[in-house]
Amino acid sequence: MYEPGPPRTTSVGEPVELAPRSPDPGRTYRWTVRDAPAGSDLAAGDGPDPDATGPPSSTTTVDSGGEAADATAPVDSTAVLRAGDTGRDDDPVVHLAPDAPGTYVLALDAPDGTHRQRVRAFPDERRETEIRVPAADIPTDGDDEVDRVSLLWPHNENRLGLDRAERDGDEWVATVRVPPGRHGFGFVPDGDRSAAYHGDCEVSGPGRPRISLDAAVVEGDGPAESDRLRLTAEIEPAPAVDDVERAGDPDALDVTFLVDDRDADPETVAAVESRADGRTLTVPLDELPDSVRIRAVPHGERYGAGETVRIEAVDGGASAAITDPNPTPEWAESPTIYEVFVRSFAGDTLPTTFREIERRVEYLDHLGVDALWLTPVLASPTDHGYHVTDYYETAADLGSREAFESLVDACHGAGIRVIFDLVINHTSRDHPAFQLHSAGVDAYVDHYRRTDAARDVTGIDWSELGDGDAPDYYFEWGRIPNLNYDSPAVREWLLDVVDEWAGVVDGFRADVAWGVPHGFWKEVADRVPDDVLLLDETLPHDPFYGEGEFHRHYDTSLYETLRAVGAGEEPADAVEAALARGEWLGFDDGRSQMRYVENHDEDRYLAEYGRDALRAAAAVTFTLPGAPMIYAGQERGNETYRGPIRWHDGDNDLTDFHRRLVALRGAEPLLRDGDVTFEGRAADVRVVEGDAERVTAYERTPAGGDGSEADPLLVVVNFATEPATVAVPDGVETDLLGDGSAVDRDGGGDGDAGVRVAVDAAAVLR
């Protein structure tokens, strides 16, 4: 019952959190090291370091300098194994920061027995570099000098005030250890994020390898030999994106097979894993447990996200069924998602309620969307709803629980699934749990994470609090303190919240997914029904949230590129580089991405870059692999990012354009399931009239090995304000997105071979 989950993978210096599943806060748990790699400070029999006082730092070596050094220095980063931050005497949750490559074996003594947890640590991927910013580039308030500059980025979980740069002459400097890539950062003066200097820290190196696992049962060599399970890993190196994000070395790639310790005893696990031969694992069926999960992890210069299969005995073990233990729900393979910012959806005359949203389900049906994502609907003191005060009650202004379930039923009647915004990284500070925690009530003392008041930048007076007692939060979000996942009581509570709503809705969009431990999300994925979609908000793009956790992911790589193209900072062909960057990061399937041009946290694309660029950007999201998302109002011509939907004075032509995109994608399987290439016919597309920098082309082709005989589709997208005329290869007959009149098969009448197509925003050609 309390087993801690699958084997985990990480790299030296990259912490991993380990916890019992389905925890009972009233029971006792204890972690002990069974084995550790040579060179590690850990040894058999060790427990968590009792002197470690905070989360290990994996990326920064920033000095504060001067008198503030003691108050703002990072917490202890030397502990290889530390207990979670609770007031408990036992160790329900521990954090392992490997100090040597190899396999760590830990034992969890739980109320139901002893469980084994392995962690495979690959070599340190981090490289030390300096971030230097001229002091003159850091904004000041009038003539006042900047007292402190904080480094803010995902590598310190966006904790403003945690890591400080130091002054070096005319520059502010931070020394960091981070893996290869282009990492966006902010240098924030005196806690004022609005005055931050933003830049990129570039660390040269390869991306992560990607894996595809083929599993099959093959016949034995003779009547006396059992049939065998054969797992074959195909590993792709990272492509080069630029000089910084370079390609991986294909000759250095290998695979490690890991049997799930929950499914077999250590001797069986070792015997199965010993049968690996290079990229193939072959095991007689009679040597396998009745049900076993095996994971394959690619690695070379860096390691990548693994793929897992489940093997279950059939016919008394004579054969086996091979399945995905965390399959994507069939309805969510390639859905069109429509996001609603709840309290503005009824428009500018009526208050939004569940009833008013329900009245507009017919509109959603007519638009053709497959899934409705609602921003938070739970009790909250805010309009946006992300400051939750009750996880079990809907917001009073929106309506009752019964009214919400009526809306869900109405959506289901129209064939539309409902995605619930799950906000469990933090609560409102008005949540009773936080108030009880702050008041020192014993049952709530560990519910929230705490930090040093010296790191606070909110201006809230924490002077009455002792060292380490200030609420922990991200950015300057002082009103939404972070929950403490080191506490079994918090884990039990939030798993119950997931259970509460998983039976009502069809999916969860996880807010601030990057702020919740991977182990918890793995438990959620194993816990929810198979037909429930899990969609992450991970910023930036991170493939490891797809490793037995989430089915669909925010595609921040394409989003940022579409914004840059709209602004004229990048050519339209940068779309190809955006997809390559997803592969460089380690994503193996473009269909797992949610493609979008805007959402409730971003300025409207229309307001920033104009109607023509919006139409082109939307067309890209609908003609690439993945799940396209429309943010309510995008199709109506809204220019305010959370303003009321323009029901009465909206852009009907723009709405019709989005409707046609939805319909075409639904009618053409290749747009949902096919591969994408920028070579072949796409590379032969030539701009005859118009701005070539604003035009890109790609082809959607049958997915490799699926046996489809569908004709490829040639997509041409134009971000310019004026139409472009392009010459395309012979064989094109019609534009499926338009009415066909834009295609001139006579080559333009000037004797030039080929077909001419007039492209307004986009053309999908067959």
Side-chain angles (χ1 to χ4, degrees), residues 751-763:
D752 192 9
V755 178
R756 299 292 177 87
V757 180
V759 180
D760 187 2

Side-chain angles (χ1 to χ4, degrees), residues 418-565:
V418 177
I419 300 173
F420 183 96
D421 214 321
L422 185 66
V423 187
I424 58 172
N425 164 76
H426 55 262
T427 71
S428 169
R429 69 179 184 183
D430 294 322
H431 196 292
F434 183 68
Q435 295 172 347
L436 293 168
H437 163 82
S438 299
V441 175
D442 289 345
Y444 294 87
V445 69
D446 293 330
H447 269 49
Y448 292 82
R449 288 160 67 171
R450 311 299 290 190
T451 189
D452 291 332
R455 297 185 183 131
D456 178 71
V457 298
T458 63
I460 299 170
D461 184 5
W462 305 115
S463 60
E464 297 300 318
L465 299 178
D467 292 342
D469 285 341
D472 180 68
Y473 52 84
Y474 298 130
F475 300 105
E476 72 284 10
W477 298 345
R479 295 180 181 274
I480 44 175
N482 290 327
L483 287 157
N484 179 18
Y485 279 84
D486 287 351
S487 164
V490 169
R491 301 176 89 100
E492 180 188 52
W493 172 30
L494 297 174
L495 288 169
D496 186 64
V497 170
V498 171
D499 292 344
E500 176 75 13
W501 295 103
V504 178
V505 298
D506 306 289
F508 293 110
R509 176 265 184 185
D511 182 62
V512 194
W514 47 268
V516 174
H518 281 285
F520 187 84
W521 289 130
K522 293 180 191 299
E523 184 169 2
V524 168
D526 286 344
R527 192 181 188 100
V528 299
D530 287 344
D531 61 348
V532 170
L533 167 70
L534 297 176
L535 164 67
D536 67 28
E537 181 198 29
T538 50
L539 310 173
H541 225 176
D542 186 339
F544 291 103
Y545 287 91
E547 200 175 49
E549 299 177 30
F550 291 91
H551 307 110
R552 294 292 172 264
H553 320 282
Y554 268 51
D555 184 1
T556 55
S557 298
L558 180 66
Y559 164 78
E560 292 169 356
T561 294
L562 290 176
R563 306 290 284 199
V565 174

Side-chain angles (χ1 to χ4, degrees), residues 92 132 264 299 305 336 353 356 363 398 472 490 533 647 690 719 741:
R132 289 183 170 268
H299 53 91
T336 295
T353 62
E356 288 302 324
Y363 168 77
L398 297 176
D472 180 68
V490 169
L533 167 70
W647 291 114
F719 284 83
S741 61

